[in-house]
Structures are given as C-alpha cells and as structure tokens.
C-alpha cells in the first residue's frame, strides 16, 4: 500500500504541474491571437499567401518509461536492491522552426530546447523488508531535426528524424524506509547526488504526428497556427549510462504555437503585365566537336534458334531468305547488304540484320566446311509432327538454296522446348513465352560452326564480327536554352539562318531546354555560322523574340585507338548460363582487353516478368561477366583496367532491341561488353 500511495501522489503532483504549464500556453495563445487580429484588421485591403516559414514555441509533457536495470548509482554507493521499471513525467520546452508550402507534402521541422526524462523507479524491498525508492532527474538540451510529411496536403502531418541530446542534469535521490513490523526503527538518511557513468551525448530517434489549426483569418499577412502533436521516442539509443542496462522510452504530447508571414498576392492587373512582358534568357551552347576517327569491331553472338510464327510451319518472313543466284554474293562479314524487311534503327538494325541472316550464315559455313553436320530440333506447343515439319522447312531451305547434302542434316520434333516456364505470369506474358517455345534449334558437334570452346546440343553458333561506326551521342547535340519559357510562353520555336541566308525552323517547343543534333542542322557541311532567333508566343498571343549567334561544328567520333564490343546471350530466366561462356570470356575476350582501358559491362533482360526481378537478374548476369573478366585480366597481368557495371533490367529505352518478336526478346537476354582504350 505504501508503494501505490507514494507513486500516485507523485503522479498527481506532476500532472497538476503540467496542467498549469499547458493552461499558461493556451492563455498566451489567446492573448497573442487577439493582438494579431487587431494588427491584421488594418491590412484587410491586401491579400497574402500562406507562409512557408513558421517560427514558434513548442511545449509539452514527456511521459517517460524506464526499463532494464540499474544498481550502482555512484562509484562509492550501491543500494542493496536493483531497480528495474519506472515512470514519470518531464517537461519539454523548445523553440520551433518549420518550413513547408501549403500545396506540397514535404517540409522540415527543427526544435531545440529543454527535454526532461525524469521519473521514479518502481519501489523495491531490501532484505530487511524495508521499502526502497529511487528517483532520477535526468535533463537534456535536445536538438530534433525532422522531415515533415503531409500525406493529404492538409493540416494533418507526420514527422520523424534523429534526436541529439546533451545531458545537463543527472541528479538522483535514494530513499530507504523502515520495516513496517518495527515501527520504532529510524530510517537511514536519504542518499542524493549525481549518477556516475552518465552518457554526455545520447543519439536516438523520434516519430510523431500533428495537426495545424489556423488561429488567424485566411489571406492575412501575419498568420498564427496552433498545432497539437504527439510523438514517440523508442528506447533505441536511449541508454542514459555507459554501464548496466537501464533505458528510457518516451511518449510526448503537447502544442506548438507558431507564427509566419505571407507574401502579398499581386492584383490581376500586375500579373497580366508580367505575362505580357516575359523575362526570359536565351542562349545557345554548341559543343566544340573535334574531328577524329574510330574503329569499332563489334562481335555479335549468334543464337542457335530459328523462331516460327503461330500456326505456321514455314520460315517467317522476318528472316532474310535468298534465292540461288544471291548465294554467291553472300559474305558473312558484309551481311548488312541483305537487310530484313523490318523497321529497325541504330544498333538494333545492325544486329538484327545479322540475326535474321542466321540461316544464310549457317548455309555459308556449311558450304565452307563440307564435313560439318547438324541436327535440327523443332519444338511446338501442339504436336511433335508439327515440330518436325518446322525443322524440315529449315532443312529444305539449306538443301535447295545452299546445295547442302541432305544426309548432313538430321531433323527431329518435340512438344515444346526446354525453356523454363516461370509461374505467376499474366496471360500476355504466358502468350509471349509460348511464342518463344515455337522454334527450331540448330545442334552440332562440328567446332567450325560453333562458338569457341563450346560443344553439345545447347552450344551457340560462332560469333559474327562487323566493323561499325560510332553513333552520334546526345552530348554532341546543340543545346538551346530559354530560361523562364515554361512560365512566360505557351510555345516557342527556333529560326536558324546560315551565312548564305538559308533559313530552317525547329519547333514548336514547350520545355526550357531543347537539344538538336548539330549534324542535322549542318547537313553535309562540316561547320557553319548561324543567326539563331528564338520566337516565343506568350499566353496572351503576343510574340516575343530573342536573337544570338552560334558557330556549329559537325560531330565526328572521339579519337580512340580501338573500340571493341562483345555480347553473350542467355537462356530465359538464367544468370548461370555464363558457365558455357567462361572459356570464351577468359580466353577470347580477356586477352583483347588492353592496358589503360575502360570495360563497360551492361546487363539486360526481356520484358517478361516483374521489373524489379528483371533488374536483379540483369545485375546478376553483369556481375558474373565482370567477375570472370576481372579475374582473367588480373591473371594476364594487364594493368589499369577499369570496370563499370550497368544493370538495365527490362528498361525498353536502354534495351538493345524491341520486344515485339521472339528473336528480339531472345537477344535482349544479354550482357554487352564495351572495351574502350583512349589515346594518351
């Protein structure tokens, strides 16, 4: 009974004390509101926006809860009992600074001031059955920066951040009573002093929520806001002492009274003037593109699959099919002469031209190597007979067009293929995967047909090498910048006049920055001087013009000694297929990497599956390639080779190809290796 009455009395005294503090804060709010209303009555002729900055005072109560244990209070005093749990109320009082805009969700709060974590431990009993009480008066100067988040762009907000607390008071009082069975005993004197081994600095965290209640009229210059708030400070990091296990958890409740000043909202007439006379800055940045030369040898992997359209057993029109008269002109290293009937651009055009010539490459190699043999294994989702018919279509083409002896080609048919079927795919993705299963696989044990160091039914065909020209990078484009255009103009365009008076137009545009290829502007000219006029249409229909001059130089590739690109391809959902390329990477690619070079390893996937999963898959593929190359280069003793990893996942903007055909999806399951060696 003694314990309960003592604790209750302490709680009541603390509660009464904090009720007075809160009452005083509310009374101050009411007085300040009255003064503020009087001042703002003189400003009714003007309207003001919501403030972005608020300055005020935060006050509240810390409800502190002790846990763990403490026993040794000072170096010279240790009570006969160990104290564990406890609770109490402490004062929180701090200036407050807040920044947030009324139409946004994010802002910040900084509060710094007095933070009391005092409390009383639960009463314990010594061996003599004497009650023992311990109270602490822990006080800190606290700094609490927080990120403010208003999820609904309303008065309700959440906040959270770190708490940095610096101890300023660590006093304690230890009381030991007498055994109730011996009322004539004299109680020992109270022990008081400062706790030993107290941490000078405590770093913890806090999360909370609040609600802004406006106390001023809207659209007035000085605006007053009252914000009730609650917050929670978990015990993480809140160990007051460097010894024992005592920790503190705190729940805080209080109010913030804050004041801010709005900006004057200009009358409509003044805004119209600003729109009619827009303030914009116009400049042109034409890069100094120094002419140079580059030789890039690109090595294309060649899949051993030919894909067939749904319900079709004849070779798809996507593939380049020659007649007998064209066979003599076909050269593997000049394959681009025979382009497919598909709309392709850039690297996709170069590589898919190679891939859609796979039958011609295979026929040409078999002509050059009369002892080579192949097995064509068709796969169908329907019947093995249909699958074999697909394989026979490929055989017929090789026999009739390239004159390959039919005895060198065996055909088989299987239901479906060994492609891994992932679960939890949507119907569209399952349909795409089924398209990928309709194919004929070229199998061979003839090394002259296969990629180096490979053999067996799943071995890829020998790679194809083509010398390519570096494409114009975006960094070489001419940049036209119109600062302020988004606010001043509805649209703007460019008028470029060369030295001969020839005019060309570009636009209209709405962005403030536009990049245009210098080569597109110059045409066949290596360089030229231009008068550049920016013609803007403001929001009232008026025309505003700005002029400047620009000297533009055509882009040519940067000077490098040698550029090489290699690629390897994977089976569906596979990052371990790299094992079949291990020797190729270590014994073919790695020896070609020179000293002082940069190796860029880029992982890709198709679009089947979740985007997050595909990003991880592309990273796993790229890291496998990097590990093999890095280890091989190190063993070869090649110095100063820098490796960069890029994981594109299924990102279609960065993908080598589209995802419209099974061939494109197949070749998107790739890692591309760029080797660049710059001249000194």
């Amino acid at each position: 009974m003694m314990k309960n009455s003592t604790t209750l009395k302490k709680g009541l005294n603390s509660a009464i004390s904090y009720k007075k503090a809160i009452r005083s804060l509310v009374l101050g709010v009411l007085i300040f509101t009255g003064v503020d209303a009087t001042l703002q009555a003189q400003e009714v002729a003007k309207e003001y926006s919501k403030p972005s900055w608020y300055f005020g005072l935060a006050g509240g109560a810390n409800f502190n809860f002790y846990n763990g244990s403490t026993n040794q209070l000072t170096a010279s005093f240790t009570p006969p009992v160990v104290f564990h749990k406890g609770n109490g109320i402490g004062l929180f009082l701090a200036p407050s600074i807040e920044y947030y805009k009324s139409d946004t969700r994010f802002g910040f709060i900084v509060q710094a001031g007095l933070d009391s974590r005092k409390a009383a431990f639960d009463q314990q009993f010594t061996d003599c059955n004497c009650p023992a009480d311990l109270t602490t008066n822990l006080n800190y100067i606290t700094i609490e920066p927080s990120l403010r988040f208003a999820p609904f762009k309303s008065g309700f907000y959440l906040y959270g951040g770190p708490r940095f607390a610096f101890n300023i008071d660590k006093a304690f009082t230890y009381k030991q009573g007498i055994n109730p069975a011996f009322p004539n005993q004299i109680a020992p004197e109270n022990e008081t002093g400062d706790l030993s081994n107290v941490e000078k600095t405590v770093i913890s965290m806090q999360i909370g929520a609040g609600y802004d209640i406006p106390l001023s009229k809207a659209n007035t210059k000085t605006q007053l806001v009252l914000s009730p708030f609650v917050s929670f400070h978990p015990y993480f990091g809140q160990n007051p002492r460097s010894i024992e296990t005592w920790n503190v958890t705190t729940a805080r409740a209080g109010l913030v009274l804050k004041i801010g000043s709005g900006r004057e909202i200009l009358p409509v007439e003044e805004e119209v003037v600003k729109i009619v006379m827009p303030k914009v800055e116009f400049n042109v940045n034409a890069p100094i593109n120094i002419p140079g030369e580059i030789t890039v040898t690109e090595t294309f992997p060649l899949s051993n699959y030919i894909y067939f359209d749904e319900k079709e057993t004849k070779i798809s029109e996507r593939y380049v099919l020659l007649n007998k008269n064209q066979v003599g002109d076909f050269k593997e290293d000049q394959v681009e002469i025979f382009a497919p009937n598909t709309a392709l651009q850039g690297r996709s055009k170069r590589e898919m031209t190679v891939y859609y010539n796979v039958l011609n490459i295979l026929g040409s190699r078999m002509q050059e190597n009369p002892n080579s043999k192949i097995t064509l294994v068709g796969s169908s989702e329907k019947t093995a007979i249909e699958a074999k018919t697909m394989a026979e279509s490929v055989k017929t083409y090789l026999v009739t067009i390239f004159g390959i002896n039919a005895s060198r080609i065996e055909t088989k048919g299987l239901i479906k293929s060994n492609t891994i079927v992932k679960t939890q795919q949507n119907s569209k993705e399952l349909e795409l995967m089924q398209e990928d299963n309709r194919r004929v696989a070229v199998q061979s044990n003839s090394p002259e047909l296969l990629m180096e160091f490979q053999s067996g039914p799943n071995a890829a065909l020998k790679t194809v090498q083509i010398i390519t020209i570096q494409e114009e990078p975006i960094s070489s484009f001419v940049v036209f910048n119109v600062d302020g255009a988004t606010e001043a103009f509805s649209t703007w365009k460019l008028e470029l006049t060369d030295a001969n008076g020839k005019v060309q137009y570009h636009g209209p545009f709405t962005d403030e920055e536009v990049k245009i290829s210098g080569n597109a502007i110059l045409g066949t000219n290596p360089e030229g001087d231009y008068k550049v006029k920016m013609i803007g249409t403001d929001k009232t229909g008026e025309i505003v013009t700005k002029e400047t001059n620009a000297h533009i130089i055509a882009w040519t590739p940067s000077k490098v000694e040698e550029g090489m690109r290699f690629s390897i391809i994977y089976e569906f959902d596979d990052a371990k297929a790299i094992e079949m390329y291990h020797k190729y990477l270590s014994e073919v690619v790695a020896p070609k990497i020179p000293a002082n070079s940069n190796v860029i390893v880029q992982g890709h996937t198709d679009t089947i599956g979740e985007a997050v999963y595909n990003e991880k898959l592309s990273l796993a593929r790229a890291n496998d390639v990097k590990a093999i190359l890095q280890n091989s280069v190190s063993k070869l003793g090649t110095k100063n080779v820098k490796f960069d990893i890029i994981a594109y996942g299924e990102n279609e903007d960065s993908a080598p190809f589209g995802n419209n055909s099974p061939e494109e999806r197949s070749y998107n399951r790739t890692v591309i290796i760029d080797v660049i060696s710059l001249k000194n």
Side-chain angles (χ1 to χ4, degrees):
M1 295 300 291
M2 182 185 299
K3 174 184 175 183
N4 292 338
S5 63
T6 302
T7 304
L8 179 59
K9 185 175 180 180
K10 289 176 182 175
L12 286 173
N13 288 338
S14 297
I16 291 170
S17 173
Y18 289 108
K19 282 182 179 179
K20 289 180 179 179
I22 298 301
R23 190 182 299 120
S24 299
L25 182 60
V26 173
L27 181 60
V29 168
L30 295 175
I31 294 172
F32 196 91
T33 304
V35 173
D36 181 63
T38 302
L39 292 172
Q40 293 180 2
Q42 303 171 18
E43 300 175 353
V44 292
K46 297 181 179 180
E47 290 188 353
Y48 295 86
S49 65
K50 289 285 186 183
S52 298
W53 288 91
Y54 289 89
F55 302 88
L57 182 67
N62 287 334
F63 298 91
N64 304 314
F65 301 91
Y66 290 174
N67 210 335
S69 64
T70 191
N71 185 212
Q72 181 182 351
L73 303 183
T74 68
S76 59
F77 177 66
T78 302
V81 292
V82 179
F83 293 92
H84 300 284
K85 296 181 181 295
N87 60 79
I89 303 175
L91 175 66
F92 171 71
L93 190 64
S96 178
I97 300 174
E98 293 189 37
Y99 174 81
Y100 61 91
K101 293 185 177 181
S102 58
D103 58 344
T104 59
R105 290 186 172 88
F106 287 96
F108 66 82
I109 303 171
V110 177
Q111 294 176 347
L114 176 64
D115 189 16
S116 176
R117 299 296 164 108
K118 69 178 184 179
F121 281 93
D122 291 348
Q123 193 176 73
Q124 302 293 319
F125 287 87
T126 65
D127 291 341
C128 67
N129 200 29
C130 301
D133 294 284
L134 176 62
T135 60
T136 67
N137 193 32
L138 287 175
N139 289 296
Y140 297 88
I141 294 296
T142 185
I143 300 174
E144 298 176 3
S146 301
L147 179 67
R148 186 186 193 275
F149 176 62
F152 313 112
K153 297 184 181 180
S154 64
F156 174 73
Y157 62 91
L158 305 170
Y159 65 94
R163 169 180 173 263
F164 304 95
F166 307 94
N167 183 259
I168 58 172
D169 194 355
K170 51 188 176 182
F172 74 89
T173 300
Y174 172 76
K175 297 180 181 180
Q176 182 172 317
I178 62 172
N179 187 330
F182 302 96
N184 295 327
Q185 286 183 337
I186 298 175
E189 291 186 6
N190 295 344
E191 290 283 348
T192 61
D194 288 342
L195 293 165
S196 63
N197 301 102
V198 172
E199 299 281 8
K200 294 181 180 180
T201 303
V202 174
I203 301 175
S204 57
M205 61 171 287
Q206 43 115 17
I207 56 173
Y211 191 85
D212 287 339
I213 303 172
L215 300 178
S216 307
K217 292 181 180 180
N219 300 326
T220 55
K221 181 176 182 180
T222 304
Q223 298 186 30
L224 199 65
V225 176
L226 184 67
S227 295
F229 70 89
V230 293
S231 64
F232 178 64
H233 301 240
Y235 65 87
F236 310 120
Q238 290 207 73
N239 295 88
R241 306 175 71 192
S242 59
I243 60 172
E244 303 176 327
T245 61
W246 173 23
N247 60 62
V248 183
T249 297
T250 298
R252 180 185 293 165
L255 300 168
V256 182
L257 175 63
K258 52 194 179 186
I259 186 171
S261 181
R263 292 185 295 105
E264 183 179 353
I265 300 175
L266 297 175
V268 175
E269 292 78 13
E270 295 184 34
E271 291 185 350
V272 171
V273 171
K274 285 193 172 183
I275 293 175
V276 172
M277 300 181 64
K279 183 179 180 181
V280 295
E281 297 292 335
F282 176 55
N283 61 76
V284 179
N285 178 20
I288 302 174
N289 293 314
I290 302 173
E293 296 180 355
I294 186 171
T295 301
V296 177
T297 303
E298 187 162 5
T299 302
F300 300 136
L302 197 62
S303 171
N304 59 328
Y305 298 131
I306 298 98
Y307 294 89
F308 282 69
D309 295 332
E310 185 180 5
K311 298 180 181 179
E312 292 288 344
T313 56
K314 64 179 183 179
I315 300 171
S316 172
E317 294 180 357
R318 294 190 301 273
Y319 291 86
V320 178
L321 301 178
L322 307 179
N323 58 49
K324 289 183 178 180
N325 296 329
Q326 294 174 307
V327 169
D329 297 327
F330 181 82
K331 299 290 186 297
E332 185 174 307
D333 58 351
Q334 297 176 4
V335 69
E336 66 270 18
I337 296 174
F338 299 93
N341 298 319
T342 54
L344 301 169
Q345 294 181 348
R347 181 173 187 267
S348 179
K349 180 178 181 180
R350 294 196 308 274
E351 289 208 7
M352 291 312 295
T353 296
V354 174
Y355 301 147
Y356 283 133
N357 272 284
V358 61
L359 292 171
N360 303 321
I361 293 171
L362 179 61
S364 177
R365 289 177 181 176
M366 292 187 74
Q367 279 185 333
E368 295 171 0
N369 301 279
N371 293 325
S372 61
K373 296 181 179 181
I374 60 172
T375 300
L376 300 174
V377 182
S379 319
S380 168
E381 74 279 14
K382 295 180 180 178
T383 66
I385 294 175
E386 183 184 61
K388 186 171 182 180
T389 304
M390 292 157 56
E392 286 290 338
S393 295
V394 175
K395 177 178 180 178
T396 300
Y397 178 77
L398 295 173
V399 171
T400 58
I401 301 300
F402 283 86
I404 307 301
N405 191 310
S407 63
R408 296 168 59 192
I409 305 174
E410 182 184 357
T411 59
K412 296 180 180 179
L414 301 174
I415 297 178
K416 292 189 177 181
S417 72
N418 61 350
T419 298
I420 301 172
V421 179
K422 291 165 62 177
T423 60
Q424 300 179 343
Q425 303 295 331
N426 60 43
S427 58
K428 178 62 178 176
E429 291 180 339
L430 289 172
E431 182 181 330
L432 295 178
M433 291 167 63
Q434 200 62 58
E435 281 186 29
D436 292 358
N437 285 335
R438 290 186 60 81
R439 66 193 188 193
V440 171
V442 181
Q443 299 179 356
S444 178
N445 288 318
S446 301
E448 53 271 5
L449 302 181
L450 304 176
M451 179 180 279
E452 295 96 315
F453 309 113
Q454 294 192 42
S455 62
N458 294 322
L461 298 176
K462 183 182 294 184
T463 57
V464 176
Q465 284 193 342
I466 293 180
I467 297 178
T468 61
I469 299 174
Q470 184 179 345
E471 296 177 3
E472 182 179 6
I474 194 70
S475 61
S476 72
F477 284 25
V478 182
V479 180
F480 300 87
N481 193 287
V482 185
D483 288 332
T486 53
E487 294 182 5
F489 301 142
S490 55
T491 62
W492 61 276
K493 61 184 179 180
L494 291 167
E495 178 185 287
L496 283 75
T497 306
D498 66 15
N500 298 320
K502 184 178 179 181
V503 180
Q504 55 181 284
Y505 294 93
H506 298 271
F509 309 110
T510 56
D511 294 332
E512 293 192 352
E513 184 179 277
V514 171
K515 297 180 179 180
I516 301 176
S517 165
N519 291 12
I521 296 171
L522 290 162
T524 58
N525 297 322
E527 58 185 291
D529 293 307
Y530 288 83
K531 183 172 71 174
V532 184
K533 180 186 290 186
M534 185 281 302
I535 306 170
T537 304
D538 70 15
K539 296 175 183 178
T540 67
E542 295 291 328
I543 302 298
V544 177
T545 63
K546 298 274 186 178
E547 291 188 11
T548 188
N549 296 314
H551 182 72
I552 301 174
I553 301 174
W555 174 87
T556 53
S558 302
K559 290 185 177 180
V560 300
E561 290 180 351
E562 182 182 13
M564 293 178 289
R565 169 169 281 185
F566 302 91
S567 306
I568 58 175
I569 50 179
Y570 293 81
E571 288 295 324
F572 178 77
D573 194 28
D574 198 351
K576 299 298 183 184
I578 193 62
E579 293 176 5
M580 64 186 283
Y581 290 106
H582 194 291
K583 274 197 167 186
Y584 174 73
L585 289 169
S586 59
E587 299 186 29
V588 175
V589 178
K592 295 180 180 179
I593 298 175
N596 304 310
S597 61
N598 187 23
V599 179
I600 305 170
V601 184
Q602 307 153 64
H604 298 271
T605 71
D606 59 24
T607 55
I608 299 175
E610 296 294 331
V612 174
Y613 177 89
N614 285 336
E615 186 173 354
K616 292 179 180 177
L617 179 61
S618 69
L619 180 61
R621 289 171 174 172
N623 275 325
D624 278 343
V625 171
K626 176 189 174 184
I628 293 173
L629 289 177
Q630 207 167 28
N631 183 53
S632 301
V633 166
S634 176
K635 288 181 178 178
L636 291 168
T638 309
K639 303 296 184 182
N640 300 324
V641 178
K642 178 187 175 186
F643 286 85
D644 293 322
I645 288 286
I646 305 176
Y648 287 112
E650 64 180 51
N651 188 320
E652 295 192 69
D653 292 334
S654 305
F657 315 104
N659 284 278
N660 299 317
S661 69
E663 291 88 2
E664 291 177 312
R665 290 190 293 274
S666 173
Y667 285 103
N668 272 338
R669 300 162 195 151
T670 183
V671 169
I672 298 171
I673 306 145
D674 283 333
V675 181
I676 301 172
S677 176
L678 296 177
K679 285 185 177 180
N680 296 328

